[in-house]
Amino acid sequence: MTSVAEAIRQALSLGNPREKVKATRALARAWRRGDLAWDFAAAMPERPAAVPGLELLLPKHMPKRRKGGSQRAAIALWHSLAHIEFVAIDLALDMAGRFGGEMDRDFVGDFIAVAADEAMHFTLIERKLRSLGAHYGSHPAHDGLWQAAHETRHDVAARLAVVPMVLEARGLDVTPAMRERLLEQGDSGGARILQRILDDEIRHVAAGARHFKSHCQRRGNAPESHWKSLVNHYFRGSLKPPFNDSARLAAGLPREFYAGVA
């Protein structure tokens, strides 16, 4: 029987987007059926396989994205979203495979489910990109997202604090405004995609917050102060308002958590 860690490592080793999406969905189905052995001997790769043809740049070297309703601006927007969702597949898979052995089945199941959601999001966005005459890999993308995963690879609490509770939570703040701009431009289909992603991301952030708090309780750490300490140490950016306080609260992130470090 294939172990859960082996199945995750295999999905992480795929650079072709369609193959990774297919493998992630198959992994999620196998997990739900109980077809994967609970074994974490297989080590996770240092970083996931590269996407063929995708140029990765440092964030500071990324071209400025145009605003407005032109097709070029729309392609740039949807390509950046495709990249975020594609990397999110790897982030969720690596979370489950790297830290599953020290956590529990709920943790592994939650992040495998997150990976399957992110694969679905990527598929929706890639379809949208192709309707605009582009595809994932047709534009450069920044390599900052995986950097956060690399720097927290040794500590599950740090990974939970930075990835779902900072990076994904930022999506809760910015997605509603993007959705409204699309509606103003007459792109109701694109707005529906963003609404679906927003609804799912609330659950994803909630999973991260829940497991972070449980981990803190087991270790005797106060969740709020420990989160602030980890974010100050590992997160290179800054938490900038405005915040979507209602969505964050629904995801288990009350304002007391992040107001002090914003």
Side-chain angles (χ1 to χ4, degrees), residues 185-200:
Q185 295 164 10
D187 186 0
S188 58
R192 284 194 297 272
I193 293 173
L194 293 190
Q195 184 62 54
R196 174 60 188 269
I197 291 173
L198 177 62
D199 293 342
D200 289 343

Side-chain angles (χ1 to χ4, degrees), residues 35-158:
D35 292 345
L36 300 173
W38 182 261
D39 187 300
F40 290 87
M44 295 300 104
E46 189 70 9
R47 65 175 297 146
V51 177
L54 178 66
E55 181 184 10
L56 290 174
L57 302 175
L58 293 173
K60 64 181 179 180
H61 294 153
M62 285 290 295
K64 296 241 182 237
R65 202 165 68 225
R66 299 181 177 215
K67 295 183 179 180
S70 71
Q71 179 149 325
R72 288 181 62 185
I75 289 172
L77 169 66
W78 288 104
H79 192 277
S80 69
L81 294 175
H83 182 61
I84 290 169
E85 297 299 326
F86 189 77
V87 176
I89 302 172
D90 288 330
L91 290 172
L93 290 173
D94 187 80
M95 182 83 83
R98 187 174 299 274
F99 302 113
E102 66 182 274
M103 300 297 281
D104 56 25
R105 287 185 176 272
D106 285 343
F107 176 90
V108 174
D110 280 345
F111 284 101
I112 288 177
V114 169
D117 283 347
E118 306 293 14
M120 181 267 291
H121 297 166
F122 173 81
T123 300
L124 291 174
I125 295 171
E126 166 71 356
R127 190 179 302 150
K128 177 71 173 179
L129 259 180
R130 291 191 177 275
S131 75
L132 295 169
H135 63 276
Y136 181 48
S138 61
H139 286 55
H142 73 79
D143 198 27
L145 292 171
W146 188 257
Q147 186 176 25
H150 179 74
E151 293 179 356
T152 57
R153 65 194 182 280
H154 62 288
D155 184 348
V156 64

Side-chain angles (χ1 to χ4, degrees), residues 157-250:
R159 176 69 68 84
L160 288 165
V162 172
V163 174
M165 298 175 73
V166 172
L167 297 179
E168 286 199 78
R170 184 59 180 158
L172 305 183
D173 303 330
V174 302
T175 302
M178 285 193 291
R179 179 197 59 205
E180 292 309 309
R181 283 198 298 272
L182 292 178
L183 286 172
E184 290 170 2
Q185 295 164 10
D187 186 0
S188 58
R192 284 194 297 272
I193 293 173
L194 293 190
Q195 184 62 54
R196 174 60 188 269
I197 291 173
L198 177 62
D199 293 342
D200 289 343
E201 295 298 346
I202 291 174
R203 291 189 292 100
H204 299 174
V205 176
R210 184 173 63 255
H211 289 293
F212 177 81
K213 292 171 185 176
S214 295
H215 185 269
C216 286
Q217 289 166 1
R218 290 194 297 272
R219 299 295 179 92
N221 295 319
E224 281 186 31
S225 60
H226 194 46
W227 180 80
K228 291 174 183 177
S229 174
L230 291 169
V231 170
N232 286 329
H233 186 76
Y234 289 105
F235 183 56
R236 295 191 176 190
S238 58
L239 274 67
K240 299 177 182 179
F243 298 114
N244 187 345
D245 291 327
S246 60
R248 284 171 172 259
L249 183 60

